[in-house]
Amino acid sequence: MYKCNRNRLQSLIEQFSQFGATTNGGVTRLSLSKEDVLARDYFCTICKELGMDIQIDDMANIYATLPGKKDCPPIVLGSHLDSVEKGGRFDGVLGILTAIEAIQTLKENDIELEIPLMLVNFTNEEGARFDPAMMSSGVIASKFSKEKMLQSVDKNGTSFQEALQASGYEGKQGNRLTEALAYIELHIEQGPVLEAKQREIGVVEGVLGMVCYEITVTGESNHAGTTPMSMRKDPMIEASRIISSLHEELGEIDEELVFTFGRMHVTPNIHTVIPHEVVFTIDSRHQNPAVMRKVEKVLTGLALEKNGCYIRPVKLWGRDTVFFDTAICNEVEQSCHKLGYSFHRMFSGAGHDAQYIASLIPSAMIFVPSMNGKSHCEEEETTFEDCVKGADVLLETVLTLQTKFSVGKKQTLNS
């Protein structure tokens, strides 16, 4: 059984954290920015030094392939190099770097795989610069139209197409990922569950289904000082009542249901004026589709008029729960057993490229703990000990899968 090198992985993490480093120890590495391009360049340099072949597709996804003895579809490992603004050092990039460390471990032990091993960096996973998140994996999986994605514009007015062309990473559509034996993505948990349960590895069985609604409450603007309280049609007060009511009602549906009132716009947003309109969002997530149907029933069942205000709920978007490949999840679990690492089978509440790739390729994810459950912030932290344990599990799973695939036991794997 092989173990990855903790010090080497730590050095790699620290090197990549310099691309877009913030003053408080975090990272701002927006997709196709100069910082992202520098990280991409270094990623390609490392992969070439490891004897990997580099190809780039039309959405700037980078594919680095380590040849195997057999000419067949690869096992794919992947994640993303881009970050949110003032994000952490581990989100996304750890999946890339643990895969690199696994390959370096193979190389130093003179292990030549039967099956090719591919490492993918997906473009604009975060959606922090260009909407939507998981953009390029979504295009590959036919979830998004490429033409529409090219028109996505950042806050400075630069389109994704313009950034793509300027980056030097616009490749060919023919290089897109289309066929593979398996896809595995390692990621930090971005939540507190593994730490709370004192487990070293998360065996991720899928990604929670979710819906996002925007609720508009329209009232009547008037002077804040001259309008009696009894004569007001105040959408701010009504919106607060709706939020309070939904908090109570949705909280009774299921203890594992999570929901967030994350965004609010008030018009005209002047302290001396009763608002005319309040718009807020509610994001709700759960594994069970039946629970999500109950949530939507509550949201669509809101009164359309109350206390002189008009209420309009609109569904912005949603996704069904994505279930990962059971056989690959079981192999990840078996790798934990072999290595003596504690684990917890769980679902991801956050979205990942794996949720789209799973529609094309049998997929699974590996989580490592996030200290204090923090992510998407400069305080994000995962111990290097936990990082290398994740790399160990990734490597062991690859070795097991390639052995089974190489002797034609795909049927056994899926049994």
Side-chain angles (χ1 to χ4, degrees):
M1 188 176 302
Y2 299 94
K3 290 287 190 78
C4 293
N5 187 308
R6 177 201 178 281
N7 292 334
R8 187 168 56 201
L9 178 58
Q10 177 178 342
S11 176
L12 199 57
I13 292 168
E14 290 172 344
Q15 287 170 355
F16 271 84
S17 70
Q18 297 307 304
F19 301 118
T22 63
T23 55
N24 293 318
V27 169
T28 296
R29 192 164 54 234
L30 302 181
S31 184
L32 301 181
S33 65
K34 65 178 187 241
E35 295 83 6
D36 185 38
V37 169
L38 287 172
R40 287 165 168 265
D41 291 345
Y42 191 42
F43 167 72
C44 290
T45 296
I46 292 172
C47 291
K48 288 176 182 176
E49 289 174 351
L50 289 170
M52 304 177 79
D53 175 63
I54 305 289
Q55 290 190 321
I56 303 166
D57 72 14
D58 55 322
M59 293 297 290
N61 298 313
I62 305 174
Y63 307 92
T65 304
L66 183 70
K69 295 179 182 178
K70 293 186 176 182
D71 181 16
C72 64
I75 295 170
V76 181
L77 312 178
S79 195
H80 60 97
L81 291 172
D82 67 312
S83 79
V84 298
E85 189 169 349
K86 293 186 177 180
R89 300 181 298 155
F90 300 89
D91 179 6
V93 67
L94 186 62
I96 299 286
L97 304 186
T98 50
I100 289 174
E101 170 54 33
I103 292 167
Q104 288 177 321
T105 301
L106 292 173
K107 286 285 188 177
E108 73 178 1
N109 287 282
D110 297 320
I111 301 170
E112 185 178 359
L113 299 180
E114 296 289 329
I115 306 295
L117 187 59
M118 177 184 285
L119 175 52
V120 183
N121 168 47
F122 289 107
T123 304
N124 197 48
E125 192 274 352
E126 293 291 2
R129 183 180 181 190
F130 301 103
D131 284 332
M134 289 88 72
M135 177 190 282
S136 294
S137 58
V139 169
I140 290 174
S142 300
K143 307 298 182 181
F144 305 131
S145 160
K146 176 186 174 181
E147 289 67 30
K148 289 184 179 179
M149 297 303 99
L150 292 176
Q151 296 167 17
S152 182
V153 177
D154 68 12
K155 64 182 181 181
N156 296 316
T158 301
S159 71
F160 180 80
Q161 183 172 25
E162 291 169 334
L164 178 64
Q165 293 170 345
S167 71
Y169 278 92
E170 183 178 20
K172 300 178 181 179
Q173 183 170 334
N175 290 337
R176 287 186 187 180
L177 177 64
T178 56
E179 186 180 10
L181 297 176
Y183 173 76
I184 308 172
E185 181 173 343
L186 184 145
H187 208 279
I188 58 171
E189 181 196 346
Q190 300 181 281
V193 175
L194 291 176
E195 187 176 58
K197 290 183 175 293
Q198 297 184 322
R199 297 291 189 270
E200 295 162 303
I201 299 293
V203 180
V204 188
E205 298 181 282
V207 178
L208 298 183
M210 69 165 289
V211 291
C212 183
Y213 272 74
E214 185 176 74
I215 298 174
T216 301
V217 185
T218 305
E220 187 176 280
S221 281
N222 215 327
H223 196 288
T226 63
T227 311
M229 297 301 291
S230 62
M231 299 175 68
R232 298 184 179 208
K233 299 176 182 179
D234 190 337
M236 179 67 86
I237 299 300
E238 192 55 38
S240 68
R241 288 173 178 151
I242 294 170
I243 291 171
S244 180
S245 175
L246 288 174
H247 185 270
E248 294 296 325
E249 191 169 359
L250 296 180
E252 294 176 356
I253 292 177
D254 189 283
E255 63 180 8
E256 294 187 355
L257 176 68
V258 294
F259 51 92
T260 304
F261 302 95
R263 184 178 70 203
M264 178 175 283
H265 295 297
V266 180
T267 306
N269 201 27
I270 300 171
H271 75 280
T272 58
V273 179
I274 300 168
H276 163 68
E277 184 177 84
V278 175
V279 181
F280 65 92
T281 59
I282 176 168
D283 173 308
S284 185
R285 309 185 187 207
H286 196 276
Q287 172 185 341
N288 190 333
V291 171
M292 296 308 298
R293 286 194 292 270
K294 289 180 181 179
V295 171
E296 294 207 63
K297 185 177 180 180
V298 170
L299 296 176
T300 56
L302 288 171
L304 300 182
E305 184 177 357
K306 198 168 184 180
N307 298 318
C309 296
Y310 296 95
I311 301 151
R312 183 167 61 94
V314 174
K315 185 175 181 177
L316 296 183
W317 69 290
R319 70 172 183 234
D320 295 331
T321 296
V322 174
F323 294 92
F324 291 146
D325 187 86
T326 301
I328 299 177
C329 290
N330 289 342
E331 293 299 338
V332 173
E333 180 178 321
Q334 286 302 310
S335 295
C336 293
H337 282 299
K338 292 176 187 176
L339 291 160
Y341 296 156
S342 59
F343 64 90
H344 173 61
R345 293 188 78 123
M346 61 192 299
F347 275 73
S348 173
H352 300 282
D353 290 309
Q355 75 189 55
Y356 289 149
I357 299 304
S359 67
L360 301 174
I361 300 165
S363 301
M365 291 188 71
I366 299 168
F367 276 173
V368 292
S370 295
M371 293 175 63
N372 299 314
K374 289 191 173 184
S375 182
H376 278 192
C377 61
E378 293 169 311
E379 295 77 22
E380 174 185 284
E381 192 70 49
T382 294
T383 68
F384 294 118
E385 288 77 11
D386 283 336
C387 290
V388 80
K389 287 175 183 176
D392 290 341
V393 173
L394 185 66
L395 174 58
E396 182 62 31
T397 304
V398 166
L399 290 171
T400 301
L401 288 178
Q402 71 95 28
T403 299
K404 291 188 174 183
F405 286 139
S406 67
V407 295
K409 290 187 178 179
K410 189 172 182 180
Q411 191 172 25
T412 303
L413 179 67
N414 291 322
S415 62

